[in-house]
Amino acid sequence: MKRRTLSLFLLLALATPAQGLKLIVWDRELQTKLGYGESSGSKFSVQMVPNYSGPVVVLFSQTDEEKDKGSFPGLQSRYDGTLKAGQLTLQAPEQRLSTQSVTSAAPNTTLTLARFLSAFKLSVAGQPSGQTLSLPGLKAAGTDNK
């Protein structure tokens, strides 16, 4: 019994800590991954494919701990947006806008990622668009997967 408990304890100790808020940017057809982001503390690091221009789907995921704490109130799991030359903008729906986050915005306002995340007290740190991305599962736009 002690051995099982010790083994379980060691596995838990070696487990990687839960990461923060994550973001994945996909093309409209959800076939090409165009960007990725992750928070650590109050910083949100993102990487985007620099040579894509067009509509995108932006997916956010929170840890269970963040959901339980209410760390990102009003954050939805999916937003529509546009990616142009590495610059991501989001369509903020009416229910996302509140007096605590974006005060003077009208329904369906277009916001940069930095402005959008500033409502959650996160600052964006992006990779320069001239650098080549090497994230697993992230491929350059325009490559055919057939």
Side-chain angles (χ1 to χ4, degrees):
M1 184 69 170
K2 284 185 179 184
R3 242 183 173 176
R4 269 192 213 154
T5 306
L6 182 60
S7 296
L8 181 60
F9 178 72
L10 286 174
L11 282 174
L12 290 173
L14 294 175
T16 58
Q19 298 297 316
L21 180 67
K22 292 184 181 180
L23 160 128
I24 298 177
V25 180
W26 293 91
D27 69 341
R28 256 320 140 98
E29 291 77 32
L30 300 176
Q31 293 179 355
T32 306
K33 189 175 182 183
L34 300 169
Y36 176 82
E38 186 174 300
S39 70
S40 179
S42 64
K43 298 270 187 211
F44 196 87
S45 300
V46 307
Q47 295 181 346
M48 300 290 166
V49 171
N51 59 348
Y52 177 88
S53 290
V56 294
V57 174
V58 181
L59 303 175
F60 285 97
S61 66
Q62 301 179 53
T63 64
D64 290 337
E65 183 180 330
E66 288 169 334
K67 287 178 188 175
D68 293 342
K69 285 182 181 178
S71 299
F72 305 104
L75 180 69
Q76 297 176 8
S77 59
R78 178 194 166 126
Y79 293 90
D80 290 324
T82 304
L83 182 62
K84 184 176 182 181
Q87 179 70 26
L88 178 64
T89 56
L90 302 168
Q91 293 294 321
E94 186 173 356
Q95 57 270 47
R96 162 68 180 91
L97 304 173
S98 70
T99 55
Q100 293 178 343
S101 57
V102 183
T103 56
S104 62
N108 296 319
T109 298
T110 301
L111 300 170
T112 64
L113 181 63
R115 169 84 181 181
F116 181 83
L117 291 176
S118 70
F120 300 107
K121 298 182 173 132
L122 293 171
S123 61
V124 175
Q127 176 180 6
S129 61
Q131 267 183 296
T132 303
L133 301 178
S134 61
L135 290 172
L138 184 63
K139 64 180 184 178
T143 58
D144 198 357
N145 198 17
K146 294 180 182 177

